[in-house]
Amino acid sequence: MIRIDLNCDMGESYGVYKLGHDEEAMPYVTSINVACGFHASDPSNMLKTIRLAKKYGVAIGAHPSFPDLVGFGRRIMAASSEEIKADVIYQIGALWALCKTEGLSLQHVKVHGGLYNAAEKNIEVATAIAEGIKAVDANLYMVCLGNSTMVTAAQNVGVKYVEEAFADRAYTKQGTLVSRKQSGAVIHDVEIVAERVLSMVKDKSVKSIEGQDIPISAQTICVHGDTPGAVEMIKSIREKLEENGIKFQAFGG
Amino acid sequence: MIRIDLNCDMGESYGVYKLGHDEEAMPYVTSINVACGFHASDPSNMLKTIRLAKKYGVAIGAHPSFPDLVGFGRRIMAASSEEIKADVIYQIGALWALCKTEGLSLQHVKVHGGLYNAAEKNIEVATAIAEGIKAVDANLYMVCLGNSTMVTAAQNVGVKYVEEAFADRAYTKQGTLVSRKQSGAVIHDVEIVAERVLSMVKDKSVKSIEGQDIPISAQTICVHGDTPGAVEMIKSIREKLEENGIKFQAFGG
Amino acid sequence: MIRIDLNCDMGESYGVYKLGHDEEAMPYVTSINVACGFHASDPSNMLKTIRLAKKYGVAIGAHPSFPDLVGFGRRIMAASSEEIKADVIYQIGALWALCKTEGLSLQHVKVHGGLYNAAEKNIEVATAIAEGIKAVDANLYMVCLGNSTMVTAAQNVGVKYVEEAFADRAYTKQGTLVSRKQSGAVIHDVEIVAERVLSMVKDKSVKSIEGQDIPISAQTICVHGDTPGAVEMIKSIREKLEENGIKFQAFGG
Amino acid sequence: MIRIDLNCDMGESYGVYKLGHDEEAMPYVTSINVACGFHASDPSNMLKTIRLAKKYGVAIGAHPSFPDLVGFGRRIMAASSEEIKADVIYQIGALWALCKTEGLSLQHVKVHGGLYNAAEKNIEVATAIAEGIKAVDANLYMVCLGNSTMVTAAQNVGVKYVEEAFADRAYTKQGTLVSRKQSGAVIHDVEIVAERVLSMVKDKSVKSIEGQDIPISAQTICVHGDTPGAVEMIKSIREKLEENGIKFQAFGG
C-alpha cells in the first residue's frame, strides 16, 4: 500500500489578525508547519494551533523564518549562517515547549518563505538550517524541496529528511519549480491538481510545463491553507488519492 | 556546612548592543537568568551566554519578560493570564533548545522586570507564571521573591521553587523590599552589602530599614551584573561568605 | 443647520494581514484615525489608507498607540510621560510625512486602545498626549472622550480639541461609558444606535443605561469599521441623521 | 575659501542600550544622521539626540534603514521599491516631527547600512529612496556615495543631493570603496586619515589602494562616532583641515 503525507502551513494568525483556514483545513492534512513568531504567529496563537492539531491527530512541525514580521518572512535577508542557525534553534524550541504542555512532540522542521527560497539554492543557508535542526534533536525531520540544495545539506549534515513536492505548482523539465513570475507557475484547476498529485504519489512522476514526464520523489505533498478555495483543493486531492487506494499518514508516523 | 546560590541576570545584550559584564561576573556566580528575546537578547546572544556559562559550570535559568524590547521589559503591561502563560512557555522553550545544542539543561525560571513586579503582588500573574513553568517541565524551579505572592502561587500550583533575597536592597520591617523611589532603597557600600548577605545566609536574618532584625528565608541571593562596580560587589560578597565557611553552589545542584 | 463628524479607526491592516472594512466604510465617514505602526499598520498600509481617504475627501488624523503590536495596543503599559509624549510625536510625524506625499495634511490626533483608556482617567497620560500634539502642530485637534480627563488636559495644555461620543456604547447617568465587562455596554441594534446618535447630535442628550436623559457634548461621533455589520450601522446612522437635516462634515473643515 | 561638511551617524542608542559617543563627537561635526527606529533608536533617544545637536548647532538628517533592529539594519533585505519608499517617508516624518518640537528642521536624508549598500549598486533601490525624499520635501538633500548609482538616481528623480567620501576607507582606482572583506579597506592611522581627508577636500583627489591619484568629488566627509578612537580621529581631521584654512560648515547652510 502506498502512503503519503499532506503538509500545510498553519498558525499564521498574529494577535488580533486572522490568517488562513486552519479550522477547516486541519481535518484533511496529516502534518502542519506552525509559524513560530518570526514571520507570523505569537505564543497564544501557536498554542491554539497546537490544540487544534491535537484534536485531529495531525503531526506538528516548526516553521521558522527570517525575523521579518511586517514582510511575513517573504523577503530574503543577508543573515549569516550563525544567525540563521541560532534563529532556527530558538524557534524550534519555542514551539517544542508549547507542544510539550499539550503532551505532544515535534515531527519536523520546514523553513518558511524567504528562508526556504534562500535554502533552495544556497548550500550555506541550507547547511545552517540542517545543523540547527540536528543540534536540537536528531529525531527531527527536515522537510526539503525535492531535488534541491536542501537535500544535499541534509545529507551532508546527517539530519533526517523528507522531500516535498508542491501540489499546485508547475515544474520545469529539470524538476525545479517554475518561477511564480512566469505564467502557468501556479495551477488553479482543482481536478488537474488532484490528478497531478496522484501521479506524483503513485507513479513518482509528473508532467513538466514543457510537456515531458519527469521523475518526482516526495514523501510529503505541500498544500496551501490560506488561498481562496484552498480547503476544497485539499479535500479534492484526498478524495482522488483515497479512491486510488493511497493512505494518508504523517511521514514520521 | 551552609551553602548558598548567587543568581545574576545575564545575556542582556541585543544585536550589536552590549549590556552587562557577563564575562567578568560569570566566574563568581552560580546561577544565571538568561534574557529570552522579549526584553533583551536574541538567539545569537543567548547562545553566546550559554557557552560562557558552560565554561564556568554555571547553572542556567530562563528570564522571561513582557514583550517590551524598547522598555527593557520594565513596564508593567495589562496582559492576560493566558498571554503571560503562553509567553513564558515560549521563552523557556527557546532558551531550552539553545541550551540543548550545548548539552545543557535548564535549572530554573525567574521572570524579569515588570513581570516580576506584577507577580510580586498579583496572584493571577504569579499563578500564570507558575503554571507555565510546570507545564513545560516539572523539574524546573521557579525563583520567587521571598515571602511574596510568587511563593503562594508556586505552592498552589505545585511547582518547585526557591526564594530569593536581594544583596543590595533594603527591606522593610514587614520583610518586603523598600521601593526604589524611597531614599536608601539600594545599598551601594560594598562592605555593608557583603555583611548583610552574610547575615541573610548565616543567620537567616537582616536589619530592616527601620533598624529591626527581620527573618529572611533565601536559597539564592540576587546580585547585579550591569551596574557600576557590580563585579567588585559580587567578588566581595563571595569573599566575605567564603571566609565564613559558606559554600557557593547552584540551588538545583 | 446642525453638522456632525463621524470618525472611524482605519488603516489597521499590517503586512499581509487584513483588518477592517476600510473600502466599504470610507465613503460614509468624515474623519479617520489612521494607525501609525505601533499597534497596527505599517508604512505601506498607511499610504494605501491615505490614498483611499483622499479619494473620498475624508479628513485624516493620527491614531497613536503604546508600542504593542502583538496586543494591538489594547494593553495599558506603565510608560512614562516622556516616553508617551515622544512616542506620540513620532507617530504623528510618520503619518504626516506620508500624507504630505499625497498633498494632504492632518486634522487631528486620537490615541488608541490602551493609551486612550489610560488617558481617560490619568491626567498625566492625557497631558503628555496633549503636549505632544501641540508641540508638533498647534493646529491639530485632540479628539477627547467627552467629559473626561482628556478634555481637562487639552484645556490645560491649550491644544485645540473636540469631544467625541460613541455611537454604540451605553452611558452611565454620570455620563461615563459603561464598562465593556458589564452587560448592555455595547448596543448592537442598528435602529436603536441610529436613534441614539440622532438624539446625541440634535438634542445633545442620550438615555443612560439607568434610563435617565443625560447631556452629551460631542463634535464627533465614533463609529467602528471592523465589527460585523459595521458598515450597515454607519450607513444607517447617516441615513437617519440626514433625514433629520443634519449635515456630515469633518470637524476641522 | 574652501568649506566642507563632516557627517556622522548618531542617535543609535536604543531603550536602555547605549551606542556611540554622541556627546563627545557632537562638538566636532557639522551634520548628523539620526537613526529613526528601524535599525536603532526610539522616539525618546531621537529627541535626546536632536537636543544635543541643537546645543551645538549641528545640522540634522534622517538615517532611515530596512526594518531590522536585531541586525542593526546591516543585512540587505529583498524589499520592494514601494516598501522602501514608504519606509523611508515614514522614518523621515517621525524624525521631522521630533525636530519640529525643538524648532528645528531637517537638512538631509542618508540611508543606513544594508539599505545604503543596496542603493550603491541597485538603481531601483536608489530611485525609491530619492523619490521618497523628494515626495516629503523637495528641499531635503539626499546624501549619496560619490560616483555611485545613488547620484544617478538623485539626478534622475530631481532631488537635491550631495556626494560623500569616507574619511577612513580605502578607494580603488575606479573610485569605488574597497570591500571591507579586503585587507586595507579601513585605515586606522589617525594622521594618515587626516592627510587623506585634506587631500580629498583641498585637491579633490586621493591615493587609491593601488597607489594612483584618483579624483574625488565630495561636499561632505563621513566620519564614525562609534569606533574606538573615533572622537580622536574626528578632532584630528578638523585640526589638520583648519590648519590648512578649510572651514567646517553644514552643506545645507
Side-chain angles (χ1 to χ4, degrees):
Chain A
M1 193 189 58
I2 303 172
R3 58 181 263 194
I4 192 67
D5 174 81
L6 286 188
N7 82 75
C8 185
D9 296 352
M10 290 211 182
E12 295 188 325
S13 291
Y14 174 75
V16 301
Y17 295 107
K18 301 295 166 212
L19 197 71
H21 306 285
D22 293 9
E23 305 247 346
E24 295 82 357
M26 193 68 84
Y28 305 103
V29 300
T30 45
S31 294
I32 60 167
N33 318 305
V34 181
C36 299
F38 276 41
H39 74 283
S41 209
D42 58 77
S44 300
N45 270 305
M46 289 163 75
L47 193 51
K48 195 177 159 190
T49 308
I50 289 164
R51 287 173 178 158
L52 189 64
K54 186 180 182 178
K55 183 175 166 188
Y56 291 101
V58 170
I60 298 171
H63 199 38
S65 165
F66 286 125
D68 178 22
L69 197 62
V70 73
F72 199 62
R74 286 182 176 153
R75 306 183 291 194
I76 291 182
M77 291 177 70
S80 71
S81 290
E82 284 310 306
E83 288 168 339
I84 291 169
K85 190 173 165 180
D87 284 3
V88 165
I89 295 167
Y90 179 101
Q91 292 176 75
I92 295 171
L95 183 66
W96 168 87
L98 289 160
C99 282
K100 194 157 183 292
T101 68
E102 293 292 321
L104 302 176
S105 57
L106 293 179
Q107 173 189 249
H108 69 279
V109 178
K110 173 177 167 179
V111 296
H112 168 82
L115 188 52
Y116 190 97
N117 298 142
E120 271 179 67
K121 296 157 214 150
N122 186 324
I123 188 74
E124 286 183 34
V125 171
T127 301
I129 295 163
E131 289 177 351
I133 296 169
K134 194 183 176 193
V136 178
D137 185 350
N139 290 313
L140 288 170
Y141 288 86
M142 174 170 168
V143 174
C144 301
L145 176 63
N147 196 29
S148 79
T149 297
M150 295 166 80
V151 175
T152 311
Q155 290 171 340
N156 290 348
V157 170
V159 69
K160 289 163 78 173
Y161 70 93
V162 289
E163 293 181 271
E164 75 172 339
F166 286 80
D168 65 351
R169 294 289 298 274
Y171 281 84
T172 68
K173 60 184 172 189
Q174 289 80 25
T176 61
L177 293 172
V178 173
S179 164
R180 278 175 184 277
K181 291 173 188 162
Q182 197 178 323
S183 165
V186 179
I187 303 160
H188 299 287
D189 186 298
V190 169
E191 184 57 27
I192 292 174
V193 167
E195 283 289 353
R196 286 173 62 88
V197 174
L198 177 62
S199 168
M200 290 175 182
V201 175
K202 202 173 162 195
D203 309 325
K204 299 189 179 304
S205 167
V206 78
K207 190 80 74 187
S208 78
I209 199 165
E210 297 91 351
Q212 294 145 297
D213 288 324
I214 56 162
I216 285 280
S217 165
Q219 293 80 52
T220 180
I221 303 293
C222 180
V223 291
H224 299 295
D226 59 348
T227 47
V231 179
E232 283 319 300
M233 188 172 278
I234 297 171
K235 282 188 197 177
S236 166
I237 292 168
R238 268 195 89 115
E239 205 173 302
K240 171 69 72 182
L241 270 69
E242 282 170 346
E243 284 168 15
N244 282 270
I246 291 158
K247 189 186 166 196
F248 287 88
Q249 190 179 331
F251 53 78
Chain B
M1 193 189 56
I2 303 172
R3 58 182 265 194
I4 192 68
D5 174 80
L6 284 189
N7 82 76
C8 185
D9 296 352
M10 290 211 182
E12 294 188 325
S13 292
Y14 174 76
V16 301
Y17 296 107
K18 301 295 165 212
L19 197 71
H21 306 286
D22 292 8
E23 306 247 345
E24 295 81 357
M26 193 69 85
Y28 305 105
V29 299
T30 44
S31 295
I32 59 168
N33 318 304
V34 181
C36 299
F38 275 41
H39 75 284
S41 209
D42 59 76
S44 299
N45 270 305
M46 288 163 75
L47 194 50
K48 195 177 159 191
T49 308
I50 290 164
R51 286 172 180 159
L52 189 64
K54 185 180 182 177
K55 183 175 166 188
Y56 291 101
V58 171
I60 298 171
H63 198 38
S65 166
F66 286 125
D68 178 22
L69 198 61
V70 74
F72 199 63
R74 286 180 176 153
R75 306 183 291 193
I76 292 182
M77 291 176 70
S80 71
S81 291
E82 283 311 305
E83 288 168 340
I84 290 169
K85 190 173 166 181
D87 283 3
V88 165
I89 295 167
Y90 180 101
Q91 293 176 74
I92 294 171
L95 183 65
W96 167 87
L98 289 159
C99 282
K100 193 156 183 291
T101 69
E102 292 293 322
L104 301 176
S105 57
L106 292 179
Q107 172 190 249
H108 69 279
V109 178
K110 173 177 166 179
V111 296
H112 168 83
L115 188 51
Y116 191 97
N117 298 142
E120 271 179 67
K121 297 157 215 150
N122 186 326
I123 188 73
E124 285 183 34
V125 171
T127 301
I129 295 163
E131 289 177 351
I133 296 169
K134 195 182 176 193
V136 178
D137 184 350
N139 290 312
L140 288 171
Y141 288 86
M142 174 168 167
V143 175
C144 300
L145 176 63
N147 195 29
S148 79
T149 297
M150 295 166 81
V151 175
T152 311
Q155 290 172 339
N156 290 349
V157 170
V159 69
K160 289 162 80 174
Y161 69 94
V162 289
E163 292 180 271
E164 77 171 339
F166 286 81
D168 65 352
R169 294 289 298 275
Y171 281 83
T172 67
K173 59 184 172 188
Q174 289 80 26
T176 61
L177 292 173
V178 172
S179 164
R180 277 175 184 276
K181 291 173 189 163
Q182 197 177 323
S183 165
V186 180
I187 303 161
H188 299 287
D189 186 298
V190 169
E191 183 57 26
I192 292 173
V193 167
E195 283 290 353
R196 286 172 63 87
V197 173
L198 177 60
S199 168
M200 289 174 182
V201 175
K202 203 172 162 196
D203 309 325
K204 299 188 179 304
S205 166
V206 79
K207 189 81 73 188
S208 77
I209 198 165
E210 297 91 351
Q212 293 146 297
D213 287 324
I214 56 163
I216 286 280
S217 165
Q219 293 80 52
T220 180
I221 303 292
C222 180
V223 292
H224 298 296
D226 59 349
T227 48
V231 180
E232 283 319 299
M233 188 172 277
I234 297 171
K235 281 188 198 177
S236 166
I237 292 168
R238 268 197 88 115
E239 205 172 301
K240 172 69 73 182
L241 270 67
E242 282 170 345
E243 283 169 15
N244 282 270
I246 290 158
K247 189 185 166 196
F248 287 88
Q249 191 180 330
F251 54 77
Chain C
M1 193 189 57
I2 302 172
R3 58 182 265 193
I4 192 68
D5 174 80
L6 285 189
N7 83 75
C8 185
D9 296 351
M10 290 212 183
E12 294 188 325
S13 291
Y14 174 75
V16 301
Y17 296 107
K18 301 295 166 211
L19 197 73
H21 306 286
D22 292 10
E23 305 248 345
E24 294 82 356
M26 193 69 85
Y28 304 103
V29 299
T30 45
S31 294
I32 60 168
N33 318 305
V34 181
C36 299
F38 275 41
H39 74 284
S41 209
D42 58 76
S44 299
N45 270 306
M46 289 163 75
L47 194 50
K48 194 177 160 191
T49 307
I50 290 163
R51 287 173 179 157
L52 189 65
K54 185 179 183 179
K55 183 175 165 188
Y56 291 101
V58 170
I60 297 172
H63 199 38
S65 165
F66 286 124
D68 178 22
L69 198 61
V70 73
F72 199 63
R74 286 180 176 153
R75 304 183 292 193
I76 291 182
M77 291 176 70
S80 72
S81 290
E82 284 310 306
E83 289 168 339
I84 290 169
K85 190 173 165 181
D87 283 3
V88 164
I89 295 166
Y90 179 102
Q91 293 176 74
I92 294 171
L95 182 66
W96 168 86
L98 289 160
C99 281
K100 194 158 182 291
T101 68
E102 292 292 322
L104 301 176
S105 56
L106 292 179
Q107 174 190 248
H108 70 279
V109 178
K110 173 178 167 179
V111 296
H112 168 82
L115 189 52
Y116 191 97
N117 297 143
E120 271 179 66
K121 297 157 214 151
N122 186 324
I123 187 74
E124 285 182 35
V125 171
T127 301
I129 295 163
E131 289 177 351
I133 296 169
K134 194 182 176 194
V136 178
D137 184 350
N139 290 313
L140 288 171
Y141 288 85
M142 175 170 167
V143 175
C144 301
L145 176 63
N147 196 29
S148 78
T149 297
M150 295 166 80
V151 174
T152 311
Q155 290 172 339
N156 290 348
V157 170
V159 70
K160 289 162 79 173
Y161 70 93
V162 289
E163 293 179 271
E164 75 171 338
F166 285 80
D168 64 353
R169 293 289 298 275
Y171 281 83
T172 67
K173 61 184 171 188
Q174 288 80 24
T176 61
L177 292 173
V178 172
S179 165
R180 278 176 184 276
K181 291 173 189 163
Q182 197 177 323
S183 165
V186 180
I187 303 161
H188 300 286
D189 186 298
V190 169
E191 184 57 26
I192 293 174
V193 167
E195 284 289 353
R196 286 173 63 86
V197 174
L198 178 61
S199 169
M200 289 175 183
V201 174
K202 202 172 163 195
D203 308 325
K204 299 188 179 303
S205 166
V206 78
K207 189 82 71 187
S208 77
I209 199 165
E210 296 91 352
Q212 294 145 299
D213 287 324
I214 56 163
I216 285 280
S217 166
Q219 293 79 53
T220 180
I221 303 292
C222 180
V223 292
H224 299 295
D226 58 350
T227 47
V231 179
E232 283 319 300
M233 188 173 276
I234 298 171
K235 281 189 197 176
S236 166
I237 292 168
R238 268 197 89 116
E239 204 172 302
K240 171 70 71 180
L241 270 68
E242 282 170 345
E243 284 168 15
N244 282 269
I246 290 158
K247 188 186 166 197
F248 287 88
Q249 190 180 331
F251 54 77
Chain D
M1 193 190 55
I2 303 173
R3 58 181 264 193
I4 192 68
D5 174 79
L6 286 188
N7 82 76
C8 186
D9 296 351
M10 291 212 182
E12 295 188 325
S13 291
Y14 175 75
V16 301
Y17 296 107
K18 300 296 167 211
L19 197 72
H21 306 285
D22 292 9
E23 306 247 346
E24 295 81 357
M26 193 68 85
Y28 305 104
V29 300
T30 44
S31 294
I32 60 168
N33 318 305
V34 181
C36 299
F38 275 41
H39 74 285
S41 209
D42 59 76
S44 299
N45 270 305
M46 289 164 75
L47 193 51
K48 194 177 159 191
T49 308
I50 289 163
R51 287 172 179 159
L52 189 65
K54 185 180 183 179
K55 182 175 165 188
Y56 291 101
V58 171
I60 297 171
H63 199 38
S65 166
F66 286 125
D68 177 23
L69 197 62
V70 74
F72 199 64
R74 286 181 176 152
R75 306 183 291 193
I76 291 181
M77 291 177 69
S80 72
S81 290
E82 284 310 306
E83 288 168 339
I84 291 169
K85 190 173 165 181
D87 284 3
V88 165
I89 295 167
Y90 180 102
Q91 292 175 76
I92 295 171
L95 183 65
W96 167 87
L98 289 160
C99 282
K100 195 157 182 290
T101 68
E102 292 293 320
L104 302 175
S105 57
L106 292 179
Q107 174 190 247
H108 70 279
V109 179
K110 173 178 166 178
V111 296
H112 168 81
L115 188 51
Y116 190 97
N117 298 143
E120 270 179 66
K121 297 156 214 152
N122 186 323
I123 187 74
E124 285 183 34
V125 171
T127 301
I129 295 163
E131 289 177 351
I133 296 169
K134 194 181 176 194
V136 179
D137 184 350
N139 290 313
L140 289 171
Y141 287 86
M142 174 169 167
V143 175
C144 301
L145 176 64
N147 197 29
S148 78
T149 298
M150 294 167 81
V151 174
T152 312
Q155 290 172 339
N156 290 348
V157 170
V159 70
K160 290 162 80 173
Y161 70 94
V162 289
E163 292 180 272
E164 75 171 338
F166 286 80
D168 65 352
R169 293 289 298 274
Y171 281 83
T172 68
K173 61 185 172 189
Q174 288 80 25
T176 60
L177 292 173
V178 173
S179 165
R180 279 175 183 276
K181 292 173 190 165
Q182 197 177 322
S183 164
V186 179
I187 303 160
H188 299 287
D189 186 296
V190 169
E191 185 55 27
I192 293 174
V193 167
E195 284 290 353
R196 286 172 63 87
V197 174
L198 178 60
S199 169
M200 288 175 183
V201 174
K202 203 174 162 193
D203 308 326
K204 298 188 179 306
S205 166
V206 78
K207 190 80 71 186
S208 78
I209 199 165
E210 296 92 352
Q212 293 146 299
D213 287 323
I214 57 163
I216 286 281
S217 165
Q219 293 80 52
T220 180
I221 304 292
C222 180
V223 291
H224 299 296
D226 59 350
T227 48
V231 179
E232 282 320 300
M233 188 172 277
I234 298 171
K235 282 189 198 176
S236 166
I237 292 168
R238 269 197 88 115
E239 205 172 301
K240 172 69 72 181
L241 270 68
E242 282 170 346
E243 284 168 15
N244 282 270
I246 291 158
K247 188 186 167 197
F248 287 89
Q249 191 179 332
F251 54 78

